[in-house]
Amino acid sequence: MHAMQYELTLPAAYDMGIVRDRVARVGGLLDDWDGLGLKAYLIRERGRHGSPVHQYAPFYLWNTVEGMNSFLWGGGFQGLSDDFGRPSARQWTGLAYEEGRGSRARYAVRRRQPVPDGGLLADVAADAVGEVRRLAAEDGALLAAAAVDTGRWELVHFSLWEHDAPRADGEVFEVLHLSAPGRDRLPRGRQW
């Protein structure tokens, strides 16, 4: 499993209806993308759920590197780049994934944190796996995942929720659409 996200931070006066309309128009284009586990079309709006910014920030869980590369290099990413400019696409290697019992993704929580210096990396990874299990077991959780960027030594925790009071720390996003053609093929549990 591979995680990927890019963020488009928009001006404070930007009409977020433009992003909502765009997602309504193109959101279904990845509903059958080969190699994609899921894509959550996420937004934050300034002043809502503690957000200081307007932001469009889709989050992906990929089943295959080929699917991710096909999206980045084969045209899927080009439309966004043409409309907004080409953003930096962050990537993380999967550590853990679990399904919850929620039924519809309405909100997402993302928390990035540095991997602490010192101590055993195996302990850090085990803690991340435990947090994924805890989040997925919470009421209203649809799923939870953790991944690591070893270039920056940064962990990312990502979870989807059916209600607006998620039991997770981090930045809260609204989910405008969820494309999940390969969600059932995302490997469960620890990724090593």
Side-chain angles (χ1 to χ4, degrees), residues 147-181:
V148 64
D149 174 345
T150 57
R152 295 180 187 217
W153 287 107
E154 176 187 71
L155 286 171
V156 64
H157 290 272
F158 178 75
S159 51
L160 291 176
W161 301 82
E162 65 183 6
H163 54 71
D164 65 354
R167 292 192 175 130
D169 294 328
E171 297 161 310
V172 177
F173 296 83
E174 182 182 353
V175 179
L176 299 182
H177 180 77
L178 183 66
S179 292

Side-chain angles (χ1 to χ4, degrees), residues 100-158:
R101 293 182 302 275
S103 60
R104 180 174 172 250
R106 293 183 56 231
Y107 291 90
V109 178
R110 182 205 61 203
R111 178 171 44 106
R112 294 184 306 212
Q113 67 187 79
V115 173
D117 289 331
L120 296 175
L121 291 174
D123 291 343
V124 172
D127 289 346
V129 171
E131 178 67 356
V132 166
R133 289 182 184 138
R134 183 194 72 76
L135 289 170
E138 290 287 348
D139 182 47
L142 189 68
L143 59 87
V148 64
D149 174 345
T150 57
R152 295 180 187 217
W153 287 107
E154 176 187 71
L155 286 171
V156 64
H157 290 272
F158 178 75

Side-chain angles (χ1 to χ4, degrees), residues 3 9 24-25 32 40 49-50 61 64 90 95 128-129 144 167 171 176:
T9 301
R25 192 176 66 255
D32 61 356
H49 299 287
L61 293 176
T64 68
R90 299 283 312 275
L95 290 176
V129 171
R167 292 192 175 130
E171 297 161 310
L176 299 182

Side-chain angles (χ1 to χ4, degrees), residues 2-184:
H2 304 278
M4 183 178 84
Q5 186 177 39
Y6 46 85
E7 300 172 327
L8 301 169
T9 301
L10 303 163
Y14 191 83
D15 178 3
M16 291 301 284
I18 295 169
V19 175
R20 289 177 183 279
D21 291 344
R22 183 181 197 284
V23 171
R25 192 176 66 255
V26 303
L29 294 177
L30 295 186
D31 286 352
D32 61 356
W33 195 274
D34 191 39
L36 176 63
L38 65 88
K39 175 183 180 178
Y41 295 76
L42 307 178
I43 64 167
R44 295 195 302 161
E45 294 186 75
R46 187 175 182 202
R48 296 187 67 201
H49 299 287
S51 177
V53 297
H54 285 331
Q55 195 171 63
Y56 177 50
F59 194 95
Y60 302 75
L61 293 176
W62 293 96
N63 284 317
T64 68
V65 173
E66 293 83 4
M68 181 175 63
N69 285 341
S70 176
F71 173 76
L72 289 170
W73 302 105
F77 189 64
Q78 190 64 52
L80 175 99
S81 296
D82 291 345
D83 290 348
F84 292 100
R86 186 176 59 220
S88 174
R90 299 283 312 275
Q91 296 180 31
W92 300 267
T93 302
L95 290 176
Y97 175 83
E98 294 291 348
E99 286 283 320
R101 293 182 302 275
S103 60
R104 180 174 172 250
R106 293 183 56 231
Y107 291 90
V109 178
R110 182 205 61 203
R111 178 171 44 106
R112 294 184 306 212
Q113 67 187 79
V115 173
D117 289 331
L120 296 175
L121 291 174
D123 291 343
V124 172
D127 289 346
V129 171
E131 178 67 356
V132 166
R133 289 182 184 138
R134 183 194 72 76
L135 289 170
E138 290 287 348
D139 182 47
L142 189 68
L143 59 87
V148 64
D149 174 345
T150 57
R152 295 180 187 217
W153 287 107
E154 176 187 71
L155 286 171
V156 64
H157 290 272
F158 178 75
S159 51
L160 291 176
W161 301 82
E162 65 183 6
H163 54 71
D164 65 354
R167 292 192 175 130
D169 294 328
E171 297 161 310
V172 177
F173 296 83
E174 182 182 353
V175 179
L176 299 182
H177 180 77
L178 183 66
S179 292
R183 179 175 158 197
D184 61 333

